[in-house]
């Protein structure tokens, strides 16, 4: 069994951040997928919070998974991964003190980096389902996370949603996270290159971009010139696995597969999102 050196993998990830190139993540969700990604030459993998929620709970990505459940999955991957893995640590599973615990557990699990987002999670009673915490609270989480990091090579990346804020607010927020010592900024919801340029004009830390295949952001050379080092296209590998499982089991039962349901339709069918939405409205008065 090959011994994994987590410190070396963290240094390898920092080398990616320092290199003027753009790297696309492999979606890794278990030890085998991590080995496959490394063997195929991927430079970096990512364990998505949404993927972990599906795999562990068969539940939508609505902050139901706990830190211990997520860390267990990260640990399984960390035992064998020969490529740096980024952990999508959501909101740090609570406040700044919870974020400290999150860093401790995920560092022990062997991840090379983790993202901490400023989304208000879980949804609050009587509030919209997607809101952000204050900049001050986001900065506090970042500072707390850095304090408990034992291996200084572990990268802590601040994540924010650029698609739900006015541009001026995104700029102000990302500057504050940069000043707080974030090793990188992760942006979600960027519309196009003009939007990205306006946000990153004064950012000097490495950038991570969650594009979900946005066709208006498909130019790695231009992304690299703007400081983007890591691109997350989505988690197609895991969704393909869901689809393959469904089709294989249908065939085993003698049920015609045909075109069948898409992976997104399968997720919607088997995670019961409508039930969760109804419960949130009924018991929490959550607004859409």
């Amino acid at each position: 069994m090959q011994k994994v050196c987590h410190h070396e993998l963290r240094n390898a990830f920092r080398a990616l951040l320092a290199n003027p190139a753009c790297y696309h993540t492999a979606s890794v969700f278990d030890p085998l997928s991590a080995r496959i990604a490394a063997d195929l030459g991927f430079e970096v993998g990512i364990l998505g919070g949404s993927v972990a929620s599906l795999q562990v709970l068969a539940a939508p990505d609505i902050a139901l998974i706990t830190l211990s459940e997520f860390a267990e999955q990260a640990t399984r991957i960390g035992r064998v991964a020969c490529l740096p893995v980024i952990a999508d640590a959501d909101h740090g599973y609570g406040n700044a003190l919870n974020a400290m615990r999150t860093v401790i557990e995920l560092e022990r699990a062997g991840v090379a980096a983790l993202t901490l987002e400023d989304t208000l999670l879980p949804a609050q009673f009587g509030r919209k389902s997607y809101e952000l915490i204050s900049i001050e609270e986001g900065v506090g989480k970042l500072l707390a996370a850095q304090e408990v990091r034992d291996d200084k090579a572990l990268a802590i990346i601040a994540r924010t949603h650029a698609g739900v804020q006015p541009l001026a607010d995104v700029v102000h927020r990302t500057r504050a996270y940069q000043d707080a010592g974030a090793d990188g900024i992760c942006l979600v919801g960027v519309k196009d290159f003009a939007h990205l340029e306006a946000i990153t004009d004064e950012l000097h830390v490495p950038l991570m971009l969650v594009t979900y295949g946005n066709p208006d952001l498909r130019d790695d050379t231009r992304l690299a010139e703007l400081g983007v080092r890591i691109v997350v296209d989505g988690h197609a590998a895991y969704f393909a696995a869901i689809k393959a499982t469904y089709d294989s089991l249908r065939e085993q039962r003698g049920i015609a597969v045909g075109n069948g349901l898409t992976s997104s339709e399968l997720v919607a069918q088997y995670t019961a999102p409508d039930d969760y939405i109804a419960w949130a409205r009924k018991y929490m008065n959550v607004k859409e």
Side-chain angles (χ1 to χ4, degrees):
M1 182 180 294
Q2 183 177 359
K3 186 176 181 180
V4 175
C5 179
H6 298 139
H7 180 69
E8 290 181 2
L9 290 176
R10 290 166 187 153
N11 283 333
F13 180 74
R14 285 190 173 269
L16 297 181
L17 295 183
N19 197 31
C22 190
Y23 302 93
H24 291 255
T25 59
S27 180
V28 298
F29 44 87
D30 61 9
L32 190 59
S33 63
R35 280 183 169 163
I36 291 172
D39 186 60
L40 291 176
F42 278 90
E43 296 86 359
V44 60
I46 186 167
L47 171 61
S50 58
V51 169
S53 183
L54 286 171
Q55 189 165 43
V56 176
L57 302 176
D61 185 22
I62 52 174
L64 292 178
I65 192 169
T66 64
L67 170 59
S68 59
E69 290 168 329
F70 185 77
E72 284 173 2
Q73 197 66 2
T75 299
R76 295 183 185 104
I77 294 170
R79 289 192 189 106
V80 305
C82 294
L83 80 170
V85 175
I86 305 166
D88 171 8
D90 284 340
H91 62 319
Y93 297 91
N95 60 27
L97 303 185
N98 298 113
M100 295 172 83
R101 171 83 190 282
T102 297
V103 171
I104 292 170
E105 295 299 329
L106 292 180
E107 181 176 347
R108 183 180 295 127
V111 303
L114 59 91
T115 58
L116 282 177
E117 66 183 86
D118 52 13
T119 314
L120 181 64
L121 295 173
Q124 305 294 295
F125 184 89
R127 306 283 288 272
K128 292 181 180 180
S129 58
Y130 204 112
E131 296 185 26
L132 303 184
I133 60 177
S134 69
I135 293 176
E136 293 76 14
E137 185 174 357
V139 166
K141 282 190 177 185
L142 287 172
L143 295 174
Q146 294 170 62
E147 180 171 331
V148 295
R149 174 176 52 186
D150 185 51
D151 185 351
K152 302 307 178 185
L154 174 70
I156 297 175
I157 301 171
R159 170 172 160 161
T160 194
H161 201 304
V164 299
Q165 310 172 67
L167 176 60
D169 292 351
V170 182
V171 170
H172 182 46
R173 191 174 281 266
T174 53
R175 300 300 181 277
Y177 295 161
Q178 176 177 263
D179 293 344
D183 295 305
I185 302 291
C186 177
L187 295 169
V188 183
V190 174
K191 300 171 186 176
D192 50 33
F193 277 104
H195 191 200
L196 180 62
E197 288 175 357
I199 295 170
T200 62
D201 186 47
E202 296 181 12
L203 289 177
H204 59 259
V205 294
L207 303 177
M208 176 174 166
L209 197 61
V210 181
T211 68
Y212 295 115
N214 182 346
D216 293 322
L217 292 167
R218 287 182 181 170
D219 185 336
D220 285 357
T221 300
R222 194 171 176 190
L223 288 173
E225 289 173 349
L226 292 171
V228 176
R229 300 292 172 255
I230 307 295
V231 175
V232 181
D233 299 306
H235 301 287
Y238 185 66
F239 286 98
I242 292 173
K243 174 66 172 170
T245 299
Y246 176 77
D247 288 345
S248 178
L249 291 176
R250 278 177 63 99
E251 184 177 0
Q252 184 180 340
R253 291 295 293 175
I255 303 171
V257 175
N259 291 329
L261 299 173
T262 66
S263 57
S264 296
E265 290 170 337
L266 289 169
V267 169
Q269 177 169 321
Y270 293 113
T271 61
D274 291 341
D275 288 342
Y276 287 104
I277 292 171
W279 292 328
R281 288 173 176 165
K282 181 177 181 180
Y283 300 117
M284 298 166 54
N285 194 33
V286 167
K287 311 295 184 183
E288 290 300 312

